[in-house]
Each structure stands twice: as structure tokens, then as C-alpha cells.
Amino acid sequence: MVSGSRCTPSPPPASIPWTDQVSDMNQFVTDVVVAGSGLLGLATAFELLSRDLDVTVVGPRTGDHAGQASRAAGAMLTVFSEVEASHDPQRVSLEVGERLAARTGYEAWLDRIGTASKRALRLLPGVWVISNGYGPDDAANLRAIAETAKTHGCRAEFASPSAVPGLAPQVRAHEALWLPDEASVDPTALVEALATVLTAHPRCRWLDTTVTTVSERGEHVAVDAADGSTVLAAHLVLAAGAGTTGLLAPSLAKQVEAPPLRSGRGVSLLARVPFSLPAAVRTPNRGFACGSHMVPRGDGTIYLGATNRLSTEPDYSQPAALDEIATLIHDASAELNTHLRDAALIEVRVGHRPVTLDHLPLFGRTGHPMIHLATGTYRCGVLLAPHAAVIVADGITAPGSTATHPYSPRRAMHLPVLDDLIDGATRGLVDMLCQPGGNLPPGTHEMLERFLEAALHELAAGTSTRAVAVRRLWQRAPMAECLPLLLDAAGRIR
């Protein structure tokens, strides 16, 4: 039983020992099947096993894990540094509260995994956030971050940029903010440690394959896999990232009524650098992304990230584009450390972050009593993993206990109106267009903002083929990150 769990586990309805098999040797039965082998799926399986349930994980154990967000993540535990000055205060209070709840028990969670796996897992404490001339809202964002941290009883200390270890930018930094209660972790080491625990656990089976279809069979959920096997379960946890809801058979999808998911495609790099970096360094969020950041990985290796491009139909096989890599290297060299130009490239990673239309995660029971979600975490999946696991497990072992949670898949979603969003988001659009490191003549940044705002308003209200196509795309992804796609769509249509 996990310390801090909010309920006493009890067997779910129609529980069947996982050791039983039906007549077909490729069919298995279990209490809970977890579809997906990213961090959220493995964390949920780990939590369910601690509640004396039999678990089957269906997802890749080997291979390159193409497109998986967990292994491509920077894994900064950014409770406060994702806050922006323009964010709604009630929304900030909600999200920071949930992130802080996850952060509070993170060390204990790592200790449990480390003990069970016999692997050393550690957090690197602290995150630096710096501001510079590239971000017109940086100063306001740093103050919003600091005020939010102090409101929640955590430290936030302003310092001279010269005091930031590893910071040697081309563009002069104006301010630096030290957040000692944030941290970073190596997500690959964490995922492998969890995998070691699960594969050795006597009540866990891991099928090294992918889910193809989920359907209902009698009193159980049936999960069909690419290797021809089928798992029958009393409960299913869908934790397959941005592709989660596409696994459901049409008749079942109607009952589940899962909110739509989109992908925030991110490209990141691993590099060996000629300088020391004891703690993560980042800029505030910018241009619909999380800014430039360097995260130490040990032995002179750093993680450099990350881009963010919204996709309504993610292609997990698509490799990184050269302009994505160029943006990473140029911006990080200019804003964080010029010696990155001399770094040795180790690996390029591509991950698809699952994101909902209202940007809040999906944790817990859906409209179908046997199907639960653990996805939609966007840029906070590594931080929220243990918290998500408890919420999902509570929904299984204590039905109804999480129905009113703000991250419930059954919540009402409040989506923005395109005209309202255009008024407040064109600055981010211009920032994105100017990457990597583009400079506009004085005064033209605001001029371009006003022009784009007017043009997008015209498209939103127009009747032309171009306007209709833009509105159709917006209906599929009504969120700020869609604005670059709208601009691209408007330019392609003749």
C-alpha cells in the first residue's frame, strides 16, 4: 500500500486471477490491463500492483519507442516556471496546486522505485529561469512565477544572471530567478527502473507489443494486440499518449466519450558539452512552447529542448526536421550558452506530447465504468506521473471517489472563441515566426502583430474557400497552439 493513498484497495468487479487463461493460448485474463508503456502507464501499473491487483501492461518494452513523449522529455519538475503572466489566476491556482501535490511526494516515490529496482534514482534540485531581450514578456513572466511560488509557500530568489552556473549567452540576460523547490530527473533512467520492477513482479505480465483495438466482450474489456494476443480485463487504463482514444472500437468510443487529444510534437537533443551545468536553466514560455532550456544528465551530457508544434494527426514515424534542430541550436546558443556550438551531438529525439483542447490532463474513469484514462499531461507528464497514478488507481479501487476531480475525463470543457483568442495570442505568433533568433526593425513587431490580428479576424468571419478551411481546422483544435497551423493553412489554399 502506497503511503498517502486515499483509499483502501479492494478487488474490482469481475476480478480474475491473471494466471488463468482461456481456451486460446494467446488470450489472457487480468484485473487491470494498462495500454501504453510510457511513464504514465508504467507509474499507474506500479501503483495498481501496490494495491494487490493483477496487472497486464501492453506496450513496447524494446525498440526505439518512436514518438514516445516520456523518453524525449526534458523532465523538469516545473511546478511554477510554466506560469505565464497572462494566465487566468484561477487556472494557475488549480494547475499549480496539482503540480505541487505531485512534487511533494516525488522523492519518496523515487525511493520506492529505486529500492524495488535496485537502481539509484535521484533528483537534481533547482531550476533557473532567465529573462532576456528575446522575450518581450519575460520580466512580467518571471514576476508571475515568483509570486506564484511565494503564494504557495515556496522559495523564489532573484539573482544576477552572472550567478547562474552554465549560463554564458550571446544575448545578454537581464534577470535570473532561482527556484530551489523545482528539480529535474533523467526520464530514461526512471522509465527503465519502473520497467525492471514491473517485469520482475509476480503479479504483472508485460506483452511487448502494441494495442490495435479495444472492444467490449461480455463482462470484460478486450484488448487486442499486434502480436495476435488478446487480454480480457475488468478494467482498462488507456495511457497511450496522443493516440490513446484512437484505439477504441467505434461502439465503445461512444460510451467512453473521451475528450479529443492532439499532439504537441517536440524535438530535443542530447549533447556532450564543454562546460559544467549543475542545475537546469531555462527561459520562460514563449511562442506556444516552453522556451529554451538545458537540463543536466550527468557525465558532461545535457538535454537541450524543446520545440512544440501542434499536430491534429501525429505521424510517429516522422523524424526531426532540420529547421527544428536549427531552431534548438541557434536559440540555445544565443540565449543560454554560446559553447553549445562546440558540443558533440549524441542523439536527436522526437516526442509527441498528448494535449487536450483545454490543456488539462485526463485522469480517471470515463463514461464507461471499466475504462480509465491517464493521458493529456502535455509538458508536465514526468512531474504528474505519480499523482496521476494515484488518481487513476483510486477510480478503480474506490469507484466514484474521483468523479469530481478537475482532471476527470467527464468534466465540461470550456473552449476559447477564435476571435477572443486572436486578440491575445498574435504576439506569440510573431515570436514564433521570428525564430530562430530573427530580429525585426524597431516598431515593426507591433505592426506585424496588428496586421496578423486583423487578417485572422477577417478569415474567422469570411466566406471564402480559405476562410472556410481555416475555420474547419480551428474546430478540430480550438487552442492557441493552432494559430501557426491556421496561418500555414491560409497560405497554402489558393
Side-chain angles (χ1 to χ4, degrees), residues 405-422:
H405 193 280
Y407 292 169
S408 168
R410 290 176 285 175
R411 68 179 180 266
M413 284 196 174
H414 303 287
L415 303 179
V417 176
L418 179 54
D419 278 326
D420 294 340
L421 185 67
I422 289 170

Side-chain angles (χ1 to χ4, degrees), residues 108-292:
W109 183 65
L110 288 185
D111 287 343
R112 288 177 52 219
I113 298 169
T115 299
S117 65
K118 296 181 173 58
R119 296 186 178 211
L121 296 174
R122 66 190 185 98
L123 291 179
L124 290 178
V127 171
W128 286 98
V129 188
I130 61 105
S131 68
N132 58 41
Y134 275 3
D137 299 319
D138 277 9
N141 285 336
L142 256 64
R143 274 150 185 75
I145 292 168
E147 290 170 6
T148 303
K150 291 176 180 178
T151 296
H152 287 81
C154 295
R155 289 182 294 162
E157 303 164 1
F158 281 95
S160 168
S162 61
V164 180
L167 181 65
Q170 180 179 11
V171 177
R172 185 175 71 86
H174 302 313
E175 284 184 304
L177 181 65
W178 172 240
L179 299 168
D181 296 308
E182 295 195 338
S184 60
V185 65
D186 185 340
T188 301
L190 176 53
V191 167
E192 285 304 316
L194 276 168
T196 298
V197 175
L198 298 184
T199 52
H201 199 288
R203 302 189 69 171
C204 183
R205 173 187 282 111
W206 190 325
L207 302 182
D208 186 7
T209 182
T210 56
V211 176
T212 55
T213 309
V214 175
S215 57
E216 199 168 8
R217 192 171 302 173
E219 296 182 353
H220 301 98
V221 179
V223 176
D224 295 319
D227 66 354
S229 62
T230 298
V231 184
L232 303 177
H235 290 275
L236 165 67
V237 177
L238 287 170
T244 290
T245 54
L247 302 175
L248 296 168
S251 59
L252 197 56
K254 292 180 181 178
Q255 298 178 61
V256 170
E257 294 183 321
L261 283 165
R262 302 293 179 249
S263 160
R265 170 186 160 94
V267 172
S268 58
L269 309 177
L270 284 181
R272 183 162 287 105
V273 295
F275 55 86
S276 175
L277 186 71
V281 182
R282 63 168 295 175
T283 64
N285 291 347
R286 294 204 197 123
F288 315 117
C290 49
S292 297

